Amino acid sequence: SVDIYYTVAVIREVVLFGEWVPFMRWVEIVKQVHFSRLCTHFAVGVRGILVRDCLLRVAACNSALSEGALYFAGESPPEDLATWHDADLPPRRRAFAFDRMRVLALNARIDFLAPDAQRCKIIVAVDLRLAIPRSLLDFFLKRLVGIFLVLWRRQARAVAANPDCEHRRAIDTDTEFYRDFLYPKFLDFVQARGWHLETKDEAGLPPASARD
């Protein structure tokens, strides 16, 4: 019961992750290259107890028409790298209970099963720079990713139901991406699948429920 369009919109608006991801201290986009690649700087944790910031560069690949899927691949840039596509990368900062974690590898795939159903698979390897056993770290990471997927689904539903939320305002503002780039691809995909969409709403967006 989650529209494809808003599922993509929630994951696209990286700077709004703090709206729905718990313990997100901050998130900013260091550099975006076209619509498919970006480098982001974010921090998660509880101040004074444990906080980790992270640099993550991610590329997206649209394979919807051929495979019905959207792919993401990412990793933290090398620590000796000072710039990324001419943008300065924030240097590593260390303090009490604060350090930089590294994403060694991130691979994700979203399969679009129906107008209002998706399946997501995530494989991620993270170095939190903590002196804890790897088995314990993997145990917690698996559960954190599961929580992330539940919250992602819940936020996509909230965005679909609330035209006054921050994500909908971002959609209205970024017409170059949502109206001119994403929406035509969205229509091509659902038409290729033979799915029926109701009339668009006043903002030119898909209805809150894409299923007829």
Side-chain angles (χ1 to χ4, degrees):
S1 302
V2 183
D3 288 348
I4 292 174
Y5 195 85
Y6 296 115
T7 298
V8 175
V10 169
I11 208 68
R12 151 81 178 177
E13 296 301 325
V14 174
V15 294
L16 295 179
F17 271 31
E19 297 277 327
W20 57 279
V21 179
F23 308 116
M24 181 69 72
R25 303 287 302 171
W26 77 76
V27 57
E28 61 182 0
I29 294 177
V30 177
K31 180 75 174 185
Q32 179 174 304
V33 182
H34 194 241
F35 295 134
S36 61
R37 302 175 67 195
L38 64 82
C39 182
T40 182
H41 182 216
F42 64 92
V44 294
V46 179
R47 186 175 182 179
I49 299 178
L50 180 67
V51 178
R52 291 291 183 266
D53 77 330
C54 181
L55 282 170
L56 178 64
R57 55 185 183 187
V58 182
C61 177
N62 175 24
S63 186
L65 288 178
S66 58
E67 299 182 58
L70 181 65
Y71 293 91
F72 295 93
E75 63 181 0
S76 292
E79 292 195 315
D80 58 354
L81 192 67
T83 62
W84 189 76
H85 288 273
D86 298 324
D88 293 334
L89 297 177
R92 179 182 176 186
R93 181 171 67 89
R94 283 176 280 188
F96 174 73
F98 187 99
D99 202 351
R100 174 161 294 172
M101 66 180 182
R102 300 197 69 242
V103 176
L104 305 177
L106 168 67
N107 291 281
R109 169 175 173 152
I110 308 172
D111 291 296
F112 303 118
L113 308 178
D116 59 354
Q118 301 96 47
R119 177 179 58 228
C120 185
K121 302 176 182 178
I122 298 177
I123 303 172
V124 61
V126 179
D127 179 7
L128 286 178
R129 286 187 161 121
L130 280 176
I132 60 175
R134 185 74 206 186
S135 58
L136 184 61
L137 175 60
D138 290 344
F139 176 83
F140 284 111
L141 276 177
K142 287 179 181 179
R143 279 143 188 83
L144 287 174
V145 170
I147 293 172
F148 176 84
L149 293 176
V150 170
L151 294 175
W152 180 6
R153 178 180 63 185
R154 186 173 70 179
Q155 185 65 19
R157 287 174 176 167
V159 172
N162 183 8
D164 296 323
C165 68
E166 290 293 331
H167 283 85
R168 292 290 283 269
R169 280 191 282 270
I171 291 172
D172 293 340
T173 302
D174 192 358
T175 56
E176 184 181 6
F177 175 76
Y178 287 102
R179 186 193 64 193
D180 302 335
F181 178 79
L182 180 61
Y183 194 65
K185 294 181 181 297
F186 173 78
L187 288 181
D188 289 344
F189 172 64
V190 297
Q191 290 169 2
R193 289 294 171 116
W195 297 340
H196 179 74
L197 292 178
E198 300 169 3
T199 304
K200 293 181 291 184
D201 63 18
E202 294 179 358
L205 299 172
S209 176
R211 187 183 297 279
D212 182 23

